[in-house]
Amino acid sequence: MNIEVLKTVKMFVGGEFIRSESGRTYSFCPFNNIEYARVCGATRKDFRNAVDKAKGGFKNWSSRTAYNRSQILYRVAEMTQGRYLDLVDNFVEVLGMPEEAAKEEIQKAIDTMVWYAGLCDKYTQVLGAVNPVNSNYHNFSTPEPMGIIAYIENENFSFVRLIDHIFSLLCTGNSVIALLNKENPIMTTILGEIFATSDVPAGTINLLSGDLEELAETIGSHMEVQGIYFQSERKDLLAKIKLLGVENMKRINNITSKTTQDINRVINFVEVKTVWHPIGI
Amino acid sequence: MKAKIEKKNKKIPIKLIKSSKKTSGIKKKTKKAAKKVTKKVTKKVAKKNTIKAVTTTKVIQAANVKTTKNTTKTKTKSVKKGMIFNYAPAPESTKVEIQSKYNLYIGGEFVSPRTKKYIPCVNPANQKEISQIAVAGKEDVNIAVENARSAYENTWSKLTGTERAKYLFRIARIIQERSRELAVLETLDSGKPIKESRDVDMPLVAQHFFYYAGWADKLDYLIPGQEVESIGVCAQIIPWNFPLMMAAWKIAPALAAGNTVVLKPAEQTSLTALRLAEIFSEAKLPPGVVNIITGEGETGAHLAEHHDVNKIAFTGSTDIGKLILRNVSNTGKKLTMELGGKSAHLIFADAAIDSAIEGVINGIFFNQGHVCCAGSRLLVEESIKDVVIKKLKRRINQIRIGDPLDKNTDLGAINSKEQLEKIKMLVELGKKEGGEFWEREGSVPKTGNFFNPIIFWDQSGSCTLSKTEVFGPVLSIMTFRTTEEAIQKANDTNYGLAAGIWSEKGSKIHHVAAKLKAGVIWANTYNKFDAASPFGGFKESGFGREGGRMGMFPYVEVK
């Protein structure tokens, strides 16, 4: 008789697979209530460490050319296609999804990756402008990434939504710390492995599993987090985070929309910079 | 021959005035045209003023009063002497009627406040009371918001974009026609030099209405692939440094998008906003579309926290901005914040030094330094520090401080006594913290709120004046050795509103501009504004943009 190897699912931070600094894990039982794996519980310090890594990630990722970012995100789509069967297995075993539905969900997510991959070198053209000012100046406005964005996942797992939201942040050059939900924390490893093998610079995307209630204060008050994309249903924690976020004027957004592949999502986490220069001889 | 010249002279003004109506703003015209147009404007204003019936009226005029009749006389005289041109009347000869007190503009009418309270308006240049403004209480705020709501539901949101555009275009035109009167009033009320209110503020006010008018019927082109709609009632709270300009920046895009507005100007400078209210009535803007309520901070708080307000747009200090945010962050209201700054102004050794010096002067002394994006941190490449300080001193000594109504005045009055005290306090603190400082040689007028420009250098980056927004004519100078150090020092602030770069090397400018964390970058220039150009900050300088296409985003919602 084969004994199944129960593994501890690690988190993905700074390009490495790590356990919580506290060593804390919890048992994860999916829909069928049979223990599936042990999962790390990120602490406040884990979040702060992730911010440090994300800082390096932002520096690297945002200074890449748009063409390069585009190719790397497309590479992520390629690698996801390669892990197609793993993902199908995961959705069937963990979420209890019918196989056909799982396949459809994954294919849609891959399409979304491709959509955002192609947006990297276009969003500045779509949203930017050369402004016809009333004097002899060359004046142009371009959107640029904000920095480190914390992404808080909804309690109901949806792979398409997760990919859509993370990619809307990544395509412009932001780095992301995502707190995944408790319904499918296994994603930290599967997605982490996909990102780790796709040439995404270390620290650009960081995936944590843990308890939002415990982390909310740290996320809301961290001075080096520029924005929070909040998708959890916990409105009380959103209120708390919004209040804490005032201190460094975090851009906090909790808009949910049913559509994917949405330029409006990109607008929420970019800053517009306008440059003036005289024209003359 | 003489008759011919006279005939020619008579013809010129008409032709020029006509052409002036085609182009926007007085700025673009030749000097010749400007002079003639001025005369026309003066005449018009004078005419209007006589028609208008006002309860109690003070006419503010400078000593050398010239009525329009007199001007015409001098004209014929000078023509006889063979002079082709006449001097334009001094700006201060424009008659500006100021009522002894002003009520709240709600539902298209001026109504007395339920509070029955009025507070004085003071001319900061001589500390004299020029009028009184009403203080709106909670009840008044409620009435104003109700009016805005009903105008939104019943009128404004039902108009087509083109109809809204036509109202805004009409408003822009009236502003242009009354711009001299508005400029004089602005200067009387705020203490800013007439040179600036006439040549910068007012043209921009008109341009903002003109620019955003055109967006009203092009909302489908705003965000590619997205259908957008208006938000509802907007509460707009504006500061005292660019009173009418801020009103225009706020009102024009809000109306273009189809929203209605309750505006609260700063209590120090409400008069031009109330004059704008008259213009709205003159343009027959439907009642309630814009309501202007005056009062102090409490009025603003009532407005921001009103349950039926869908959007808050605030311009002011970061402290007050944060206060508002904490109070309303969980109400679901949409927000835009234009807050403070401590903008870095970088001069590289390869810059055109004399141009850079002019840029620095404009950067920190424009509007007495009461500019949120003022270039208050000067970062100079170490090798040129001494020459920059030497040239700065010489240039600062040439600054003319005095009567804001004098068109030669460079630096007017500090907006309020409180602000003057605040500047003095910060400067005293700065002096104690070490380093060197130098004050402009020469005196400033004894009466009125005047302050002599001062520069500091050799202070550490952690000193008060290197960190704190002073909002006055106070410059802090630091040095750097490498480009990377310059970028790092420039970004070493919680603010991120603007920055300046002086260098003759294009590649360096683009490199630095890309790395600076600021919403507006002026390369080889400073403090330039335009209705078509987005303005707004990164980090704690706020969020949202004003001006340009991006300036419409905060006033629409994606369907």
Side-chain angles (χ1 to χ4, degrees):
Chain A
M1 188 188 141
N2 273 339
I3 297 172
E4 225 179 298
V5 182
L6 260 189
K7 63 172 175 180
T8 301
V9 175
K10 290 190 188 176
M11 303 187 290
F12 182 62
V13 173
E16 290 173 3
F17 292 91
I18 59 156
R19 292 193 162 83
S20 166
E21 54 84 29
S22 63
R24 191 172 58 177
T25 61
Y26 60 91
S27 164
F28 171 63
C29 305
F31 74 105
N32 55 11
N33 273 329
I34 299 165
E35 185 175 42
Y36 181 83
R38 295 200 67 81
V39 174
C40 298
T43 61
R44 288 170 290 190
K45 187 163 184 353
D46 284 322
F47 181 80
R48 289 197 295 270
N49 290 343
V51 173
D52 273 348
K53 299 290 180 189
K55 248 166 92 178
F58 176 70
K59 217 173 163 188
N60 188 336
W61 184 237
S62 63
S63 62
R64 299 291 181 103
T65 64
Y67 178 38
N68 186 241
R69 272 205 310 276
S70 177
Q71 290 179 77
I72 291 173
L73 290 189
Y74 182 70
R75 179 78 181 147
V76 179
E78 286 178 337
M79 295 312 286
T80 312
Q81 193 76 62
R83 297 289 300 268
Y84 188 73
L85 292 178
D86 279 353
L87 284 162
V88 173
D89 274 356
N90 173 274
F91 291 177
V92 172
E93 281 178 37
V94 174
L95 303 170
M97 263 174 116
E99 199 176 312
E100 278 313 304
K103 281 180 176 169
E104 198 186 318
E105 172 101 359
I106 295 157
Q107 201 50 55
K108 223 171 142 190
I110 292 172
D111 290 351
T112 302
M113 288 177 175
V114 173
W115 194 84
Y116 282 106
L119 187 63
C120 295
D121 49 5
K122 285 158 206 81
Y123 84 97
T124 49
Q125 291 175 320
V126 176
L127 299 174
V130 173
N131 308 306
V133 291
N134 181 33
S135 45
N136 283 328
Y137 289 90
H138 176 49
N139 176 301
F140 58 96
S141 299
T142 39
E144 59 176 67
M146 274 178 183
I148 302 169
I149 312 295
Y151 175 68
I152 311 221
E153 175 61 330
N154 189 278
E155 281 76 5
N156 299 311
F157 179 77
S158 155
F159 191 53
V160 175
R161 188 180 50 216
L162 175 68
I163 293 302
D164 187 78
H165 290 174
I166 289 181
F167 273 62
S168 73
L169 299 171
L170 288 177
C171 74
T172 58
N174 287 309
S175 65
V176 176
I177 302 170
L179 181 65
L180 300 189
N181 76 359
K182 287 188 162 171
E183 208 183 346
N184 193 358
I186 314 299
M187 272 297 119
T188 54
T189 295
I190 302 182
L191 259 187
E193 282 166 6
I194 290 170
F195 282 118
T197 48
S198 306
D199 302 327
V200 178
T204 302
I205 171 84
N206 305 277
L207 305 164
L208 301 176
S209 51
D211 187 15
L212 175 61
E213 182 134 29
E214 188 187 331
L215 294 173
E217 192 172 337
T218 313
I219 297 173
S221 60
H222 201 297
M223 294 295 278
E224 285 175 304
V225 172
Q226 272 77 42
I228 298 175
Y229 199 172
F230 192 92
Q231 289 295 304
S232 158
E233 304 289 338
R234 289 288 301 272
K235 296 293 170 236
D236 57 326
L237 295 180
L238 172 66
K240 187 177 176 181
I241 282 178
K242 274 190 167 176
L243 213 53
L244 290 165
V246 170
E247 195 49 43
N248 72 331
M249 299 261 159
K250 283 186 188 66
R251 281 58 166 155
I252 300 171
N253 196 307
N254 66 320
I255 290 172
T256 48
S257 76
K258 288 200 174 72
T259 56
T260 54
Q261 304 167 15
D262 184 354
I263 190 94
N264 197 39
R265 247 194 275 294
V266 172
I267 295 175
N268 291 330
F269 292 99
V270 291
E271 293 284 359
V272 173
K273 181 186 275 177
T274 301
V275 180
W276 293 67
H277 195 280
I279 297 170
I281 23 172
Chain B
M1 188 66 197
K2 222 183 223 174
K4 250 187 187 175
I5 291 171
E6 268 186 10
K7 214 179 169 187
K8 220 179 172 184
N9 256 324
K10 265 181 195 167
K11 267 188 179 172
I12 288 169
I14 300 163
K15 213 176 162 190
L16 285 171
I17 286 156
K18 265 191 182 166
S19 70
S20 85
K21 281 206 165 174
K22 277 178 202 159
T23 55
S24 70
I26 298 168
K27 221 178 163 184
K28 283 220 146 178
K29 262 140 274 149
T30 56
K31 268 186 188 169
K32 201 161 127 191
K35 278 175 190 170
K36 303 286 179 190
V37 171
T38 318
K39 204 175 285 168
K40 170 87 182 191
V41 171
T42 330
K43 264 190 201 169
K44 261 197 178 167
V45 171
K47 217 176 168 187
K48 253 174 215 156
N49 289 345
T50 45
I51 298 163
K52 221 175 289 157
V54 191
T55 41
T56 333
T57 307
K58 281 184 201 169
V59 179
I60 307 281
Q61 251 181 322
N64 53 341
V65 188
K66 278 183 196 167
T67 62
T68 23
K69 248 186 183 174
N70 281 341
T71 333
T72 344
K73 261 183 196 169
T74 14
K75 184 186 154 193
T76 38
K77 259 184 198 170
S78 55
V79 168
K80 270 177 194 166
K81 277 178 191 166
M83 268 178 71
I84 299 173
F85 307 117
N86 301 300
Y87 288 113
E92 61 267 37
S93 66
T94 304
K95 274 187 181 178
V96 177
E97 285 178 2
I98 299 176
Q99 299 173 25
S100 61
K101 69 176 186 187
Y102 282 91
N103 285 321
L104 308 169
Y105 183 69
I106 297 174
E109 284 171 3
F110 284 95
V111 294
S112 41
R114 299 289 168 108
T115 56
K116 296 194 169 65
K117 259 170 58 185
Y118 291 87
I119 48 171
C121 284
V122 175
N123 178 350
N126 58 17
Q127 296 280 14
K128 281 184 187 147
E129 185 179 316
I130 44 178
S131 181
Q132 292 203 331
I133 52 162
V135 177
K138 204 166 184 172
E139 219 179 319
D140 300 298
V141 171
N142 289 343
I143 300 169
V145 175
E146 275 164 29
N147 271 277
R149 170 62 58 195
S150 119
Y152 177 73
E153 305 291 347
N154 304 322
T155 334
W156 199 241
S157 66
K158 294 209 168 125
L159 285 181
T160 63
T162 306
E163 291 305 304
R164 288 200 307 274
K166 277 152 71 184
Y167 276 114
L168 292 175
F169 278 126
R170 192 190 276 176
I171 292 164
R173 267 288 182 257
I174 301 175
I175 290 169
Q176 284 175 334
E177 281 164 11
R178 293 176 69 170
S179 80
R180 190 53 63 93
E181 169 201 1
L182 291 166
V184 172
L185 182 60
E186 191 77 300
T187 287
L188 282 169
D189 198 19
S190 73
K192 68 169 64 202
I194 186 76
K195 196 161 77 170
E196 290 174 13
S197 49
R198 183 192 61 188
D199 299 343
V200 181
D201 291 46
M202 294 313 132
L204 277 168
V205 169
Q207 196 203 1
H208 261 265
F209 279 99
F210 223 99
Y211 176 84
Y212 280 108
W215 269 117
D217 49 4
K218 292 164 200 72
L219 297 181
D220 290 345
Y221 300 94
L222 200 56
I223 307 174
Q226 308 275 337
E227 212 182 322
V228 297
E229 58 188 353
S230 57
I231 302 169
V233 175
C234 302
Q236 306 182 320
I237 302 168
I238 56 170
W240 45 257
N241 57 343
F242 293 97
L244 195 59
M245 198 165 108
M246 287 297 126
W249 283 30
K250 294 270 179 295
I251 295 171
L255 297 195
N259 304 292
T260 56
V261 164
V262 181
L263 176 92
K264 192 205 94 72
E267 65 270 26
Q268 297 89 343
T269 53
S270 295
L271 297 186
T272 42
L274 293 162
R275 193 65 50 121
L276 186 62
E278 288 175 15
I279 291 173
F280 291 147
S281 290
E282 198 182 327
K284 300 200 168 47
L285 189 71
V289 171
V290 179
N291 305 277
I292 297 176
I293 52 167
T294 49
E296 295 172 301
E298 210 178 313
T299 310
H302 287 317
L303 178 58
E305 285 161 34
H306 195 287
H307 67 93
D308 204 25
V309 160
N310 304 100
K311 176 182 172 87
I312 301 167
F314 173 79
T315 297
S317 72
T318 293
D319 287 344
I320 304 290
K322 286 184 179 178
L323 197 75
I324 293 176
L325 271 176
R326 287 197 177 97
N327 288 338
V328 302
S329 65
N330 282 303
T331 55
K333 292 179 178 22
K334 270 188 87 128
L335 295 154
T336 31
M337 297 267 147
E338 296 285 358
L339 308 175
K342 189 78 191 173
S343 298
H345 207 154
L346 280 57
I347 309 183
F348 289 94
D350 57 12
I353 302 277
D354 289 326
S355 307
I357 296 293
E358 285 308 309
V360 172
I361 296 289
N362 180 40
I364 187 63
F365 301 124
F366 177 62
N367 198 27
Q368 295 73 249
H370 303 327
V371 187
C372 44
C373 53
S376 51
R377 279 189 302 146
L378 182 62
L379 288 161
V380 183
E381 192 157 340
E382 204 174 73
S383 58
I384 54 163
K385 175 190 153 196
D386 292 340
V387 60
V388 164
I389 290 177
K390 196 178 127 200
K391 281 177 185 262
L392 260 182
K393 284 179 181 173
R394 196 179 66 191
R395 181 62 182 82
I396 289 171
N397 273 338
Q398 290 166 349
I399 290 175
R400 289 158 295 197
I401 304 180
D403 182 5
L405 271 179
D406 183 334
K407 59 188 172 188
N408 292 312
T409 294
D410 298 312
L411 202 71
I414 301 296
N415 186 275
S416 65
K417 215 160 185 144
E418 295 77 49
Q419 185 59 22
L420 183 64
E421 292 309 316
K422 193 188 153 199
I423 296 170
K424 281 182 178 165
M425 186 270 287
L426 286 168
V427 163
E428 284 314 308
L429 206 63
K431 284 177 180 172
K432 282 180 199 150
E433 286 180 335
E436 304 274 337
F437 67 88
W438 175 88
E439 233 170 319
R440 170 181 168 274
E441 290 149 10
S443 59
V444 297
K446 291 274 181 305
T447 51
N449 311 329
F450 290 93
F451 189 83
N452 225 353
I454 185 165
I455 58 173
F456 286 80
W457 65 95
D458 286 350
Q459 286 200 313
S460 92
S462 58
C463 283
T464 308
L465 294 178
S466 325
K467 292 268 171 213
T468 314
E469 183 177 37
V470 179
F471 228 60
V474 182
L475 180 66
S476 174
I477 306 170
M478 286 168 272
T479 57
F480 64 86
R481 285 183 182 171
T482 63
T483 306
E484 289 319 303
E485 190 192 349
I487 294 166
Q488 185 259 319
K489 279 187 167 166
N491 286 340
D492 182 22
T493 169
N494 293 339
Y495 296 114
L497 193 48
I501 307 167
W502 291 86
S503 165
E504 289 295 280
K505 199 175 175 200
S507 57
K508 189 190 274 181
I509 287 173
H510 286 295
H511 172 78
V512 176
K515 299 260 169 153
L516 291 177
K517 290 279 175 202
V520 185
I521 313 275
W522 285 293
N524 290 331
T525 181
Y526 206 91
N527 270 345
K528 289 282 175 288
F529 309 94
D530 199 281
S533 172
F535 181 90
F538 284 32
K539 301 194 278 186
E540 288 180 37
S541 288
F543 42 80
R545 295 290 178 270
E546 289 179 309
R549 172 159 67 113
M550 286 81 171
M552 284 296 284
F553 291 0
Y555 289 102
V556 294
E557 216 147 27
V558 174
K559 266 187 191 170

